[in-house]
Each structure stands twice: as structure tokens, then as C-alpha cells.
Amino acid sequence: MTSSLRRTTGFTLIELLVSLAILAVLAMLVLPVAQLEVQRTREKDLRLALREIRNGIDAYKLAYDGGRMLRSVGESGYPATLEAMVDGVEDARDPEKHKIYFMRRIPRDPMVRDPALSDAETWGKRSYDSEPDAPAEGRDVFDVYSRSTTMGLNGIPYNRW
């Protein structure tokens, strides 16, 4: 008599399947949101890195135009490499010839995943002499851009930012 009155505790197979189905639906809803958030974060990092490098290039050009560096005929006044802004240049106005530094480090392009490339190699570089519609490397660095051709959330490819 006690065995028929005793109720077993636990979940039935149907209850477990329903619970798993609900979890699967929730996971399918959360995954795209998480992927979108990762892309937004990478885009934010790209904007900040581009701004930092471009500010360094502008500061280098201002120092060149202001006579803080030795001028050469035919020079544009832009750095020859991205590394030149980190390595610094000799201050022509300083009698002790201290260096002027324009960046502490070169940020890495967040859209490039190749760990074999150095930070400076992750960026596409545009020379002062190149056309705006067809950026090409040359003897100086006038601007930088991402090498990624992936489309951004705003509908513009990253290499056009």
C-alpha cells in the first residue's frame, strides 16, 4: 500500500525536452546580438586607432612645417614610415638635440587577424603623391586605412573609413 501511494520525484523525458527546446531558442536569439556587439566593439577600436594614427601624422606635419625638423627639398613633411612617429625625430630647435615623439606605440588594426604581421604592417598606407580614389604606398605616409574589405555596420567597407 505504501508503494502505490509513494510518488516518484524527478523530471519526465518530455519536460526535459521542452526545457532544452526553450534553451535552444533563447541561445539562437542571443547569438546574433552577441556577434553584433563584438563587431561594434571592433569598429569602435578601429575608429579610435585611425584617429590616434591620423593625429600623430598631423602632429608630425605640424612639427615639420613649424621648423622643428630639418627640411629637405622635395619632401612632403609627412613621416616616411609609421615607425618614425614612435622612434621620434631630432628637434632642430633644441641645442641638445632631444627627440620629438609623436606616438607612444602604433595601434594594431582590429580587423586584421594575422599575428605574423607587425602593428604597422596591419595598416594600409597612402602616400601624399597617390590619388585619393586609389591609395598607394610611396615615400611617405599621408594617411592610413584598414586593409579589411568587410562591410561595416554603417554600410561602408572598413578600408574606406
Side-chain angles (χ1 to χ4, degrees):
M1 180 161 145
T2 58
S3 63
S4 64
L5 293 177
R6 189 187 312 165
R7 185 172 170 148
T8 58
T9 58
F11 297 106
T12 65
L13 181 60
I14 293 176
E15 290 172 330
L16 287 175
L17 289 175
V18 168
S19 299
L20 287 175
I22 291 171
L23 286 175
V25 168
L26 289 175
M28 287 179 8
L29 294 174
V30 170
L31 188 61
V33 173
Q35 289 173 339
L36 184 65
E37 190 58 34
V38 167
Q39 186 174 2
R40 280 187 184 144
T41 301
R42 290 176 66 207
E43 285 187 2
K44 183 183 105 181
D45 293 344
L46 176 62
R47 273 192 297 276
L48 291 174
L50 285 169
R51 183 179 302 134
E52 183 178 349
I53 293 173
R54 288 172 175 162
N55 285 341
I57 291 171
D58 291 344
Y60 189 101
K61 176 68 170 153
L62 283 173
Y64 182 86
D65 290 344
R68 306 265 326 255
M69 292 179 234
L70 294 176
R71 293 180 181 221
S72 299
V73 176
E75 292 284 323
S76 65
Y78 290 99
T81 63
L82 290 177
E83 291 88 352
M85 295 187 297
V86 175
D87 297 340
V89 293
E90 197 174 274
D91 189 350
R93 291 184 182 172
D94 185 5
E96 296 179 13
K97 302 299 182 193
H98 290 108
K99 285 189 170 186
I100 308 168
Y101 299 96
F102 302 96
M103 296 180 72
R104 292 182 183 198
R105 66 174 186 82
I106 299 167
R108 189 170 187 82
D109 182 350
M111 302 303 167
V112 175
R113 301 287 182 159
D114 188 357
L117 297 175
S118 71
D119 294 341
E121 291 172 335
T122 61
W123 297 101
K125 296 157 198 81
R126 178 179 167 217
S127 172
Y128 182 74
D129 297 330
S130 70
E131 295 297 322
D133 296 335
E137 292 190 35
R139 57 191 176 128
D140 59 12
V141 180
F142 175 70
D143 194 16
V144 293
Y145 58 91
S146 177
R147 291 185 179 200
S148 175
T149 57
T150 306
M151 193 68 66
L153 292 174
N154 60 0
I156 300 171
Y158 294 131
N159 61 0
R160 306 282 290 157
W161 283 25

